[in-house]
Amino acid sequence: MFSLTVVDHIMVAHSFRGAEFGPAQRLHGATFIVEAEFRAPRLDHANLLVDIGLAKDELRKVLAAMDYRNLDEEAAFAGQNTTTEHLAFHIHGLLAAACKDGTLGAGGQGVSAIKVLLRESHVAWAAYEAEI
C-alpha cells in the first residue's frame, strides 16, 4: 500500500457539553496539527498516488472553513461536541468526497483509504481512518 501525507493546522474555539468534560465545558481555544494520509494500492501512469499540490490545497480548503472560528457557532457542528475525534471524522468525510468527485484529479479516484490525524499537543492526538 502506498501513502502520501500532507499537513496543515487550524486554530479553533469551542466548548463541550457534558460533565465528563469538566472545565472544557467553558469556551476555550485549541490548535490542531492536521495530517491527511491518502492511501492507494497502486500508483498512476506517472507514478503518483495523488498530486501533492492538489492534496495540500484541498486540505487547506477544508480547514479554512473551521480556522479561526468558534465551532459552537458553525452550522456543520450544530448539536455536536467537536472533540478531536469528531473533527478527524468530519475532515475525513470532506477529503473522501473530494477524492470521489474528481477534485483531487485522476489520482484521487484511485485512493482507497484516508487517515486523518489531529495532534492537539505533543502528548495527545486522535485520528479517524477508513476506506473510501
Side-chain angles (χ1 to χ4, degrees):
M1 185 69 64
F2 295 95
S3 70
L4 175 109
T5 303
V6 292
V7 179
D8 204 331
H9 74 282
I10 53 174
M11 297 173 72
V12 302
H14 60 174
S15 61
F16 298 131
R17 289 174 308 287
E20 58 270 275
F21 291 104
Q25 292 176 84
R26 293 188 299 270
L27 186 64
H28 62 280
T31 300
F32 296 103
I33 305 297
V34 181
E35 300 177 14
E37 180 180 342
F38 300 87
R39 297 181 183 161
R42 64 188 68 63
L43 303 177
D44 71 8
H45 71 282
N47 286 334
L48 293 172
L49 188 151
V50 68
D51 182 301
I52 196 168
L54 292 176
K56 184 172 111 14
D57 290 348
E58 189 60 23
L59 179 60
R60 171 65 350 228
K61 178 181 158 191
V62 165
L63 297 180
M66 296 177 262
D67 208 8
Y68 290 98
R69 291 200 167 67
N70 179 349
L71 300 183
D72 297 347
E73 299 173 352
E74 296 298 314
F77 302 113
Q80 302 284 325
N81 278 327
T82 51
T83 62
T84 308
E85 298 89 336
H86 183 73
L87 291 176
F89 173 76
H90 176 78
I91 294 165
H92 180 280
L94 296 172
L95 293 175
C99 286
K100 291 178 182 178
D101 72 14
T103 302
L104 292 180
Q109 308 263 327
V111 171
S112 59
I114 299 173
K115 177 180 180 180
V116 175
L117 186 142
L118 277 72
R119 295 184 186 276
E120 190 167 354
S121 75
H122 66 288
V123 297
W125 55 89
Y128 180 77
E129 176 178 358
E131 293 181 2
I132 63 168

